[in-house]
Amino acid sequence: MAPSLRLTLLGVGAMASPRFAPAGLLVASGRHRVAFDGGPGAEPPEGRLDAWLVTDEHAELRSALRRMAAERGLLPCMTDVDAGGLRVRVLPVAHTSHPTCGYRIEGEAGVVVWAPEFWTFPLWAAQADLMFAEASGWDRPIRFRGGVGGHAPVRDVGAEAARNRIGRLVYAHIGRPCLRAMDAGLTPEYGEWGREGRTYVLPSHHRGC
């Protein structure tokens, strides 16, 4: 029987969120575990990690992440990982003026995408069973000064995810405009808000709580 993919959201907040810990993910397949992003308040639980991957090596949390990863004997970086039957591929995203990425995570149980920040929807995410995605903005894009990228809004991310046949879309980098939308009782047209500490399981008939 193929090992399941267990994906636990360590945090779902955008930078300096007043409500949530920084967006982070822990992926487990059999004995193998890989952490993605995170930061203070969004640390992977104790236990061995095969790797600690980041989507932006120049992010504001880079110093904190280096300290946290060093305590586990790791260096946070952007790279491919092969651990048992778990295959992780680093792929570029359009986001800002320096290279940033997302990850396509493949196991026998299915395909998952971790892409918490992007300006344009990454087409390499197409047909993923589960995608953790950008949610900094609600109904309008957030453009960086100087026109060097920014954050796509939930409205556009959801439409692109549906067009690219994403099986399940979870918003995992929730910014202040989306906090206001949540407080107003609004929900995305496609996809769902991520929840800190929630575990999602593939195959999908083994969904987490």
Side-chain angles (χ1 to χ4, degrees):
M1 183 176 177
S4 63
L5 279 175
R6 298 181 60 83
L7 308 114
T8 302
L9 280 172
L10 305 174
V12 296
M15 178 56 62
S17 171
R19 191 173 304 177
F20 299 125
L25 183 71
L26 178 68
V27 176
S29 178
R31 299 180 296 105
H32 298 284
R33 304 195 315 161
V34 177
F36 297 81
D37 293 319
E43 305 91 343
E46 291 299 320
R48 179 181 175 275
L49 292 174
D50 292 276
W52 196 322
L53 306 180
V54 294
T55 50
D56 184 351
E57 292 182 326
H58 300 279
E60 293 178 36
L61 290 173
R62 61 187 180 275
S63 295
L65 281 168
R66 285 174 187 153
R67 288 194 301 271
M68 293 163 58
E71 293 173 359
R72 314 288 281 268
L74 297 170
L75 177 68
C77 58
M78 293 163 47
T79 189
D80 294 342
V81 170
D82 285 287
L86 188 63
R87 182 174 182 264
V88 181
R89 292 294 174 264
V90 57
L91 293 160
V93 297
H95 174 50
T96 187
S97 57
H98 58 262
T100 54
C101 72
Y103 291 92
R104 190 172 175 94
I105 304 157
E106 300 179 357
E108 292 182 52
V111 176
V112 178
V113 167
W114 175 251
E117 295 185 86
F118 53 79
W119 173 245
T120 56
F121 189 91
L123 297 182
W124 51 259
Q127 300 185 42
D129 298 290
L130 171 62
M131 179 179 185
F132 297 98
E134 167 78 87
S136 295
W138 172 244
D139 57 357
R140 62 186 66 180
I142 298 172
R143 187 75 171 179
F144 290 155
R145 187 175 300 172
V148 293
H151 299 277
V154 162
R155 175 197 61 193
D156 294 349
V157 173
E160 287 295 324
R163 189 173 298 120
N164 283 277
R165 293 185 287 175
I166 303 298
R168 186 177 185 184
L169 179 66
V170 177
Y171 296 102
H173 187 265
I174 300 171
R176 292 172 188 264
C178 287
L179 293 179
R180 292 191 290 271
M182 293 169 71
D183 291 343
L186 302 177
T187 56
E189 290 186 13
Y190 188 80
E192 63 197 82
W193 301 124
R195 289 168 46 192
E196 290 182 343
R198 183 169 186 172
T199 296
Y200 305 77
V201 183
L202 292 180
S204 58
H205 59 271
H206 290 149
R207 278 183 185 174
C209 318

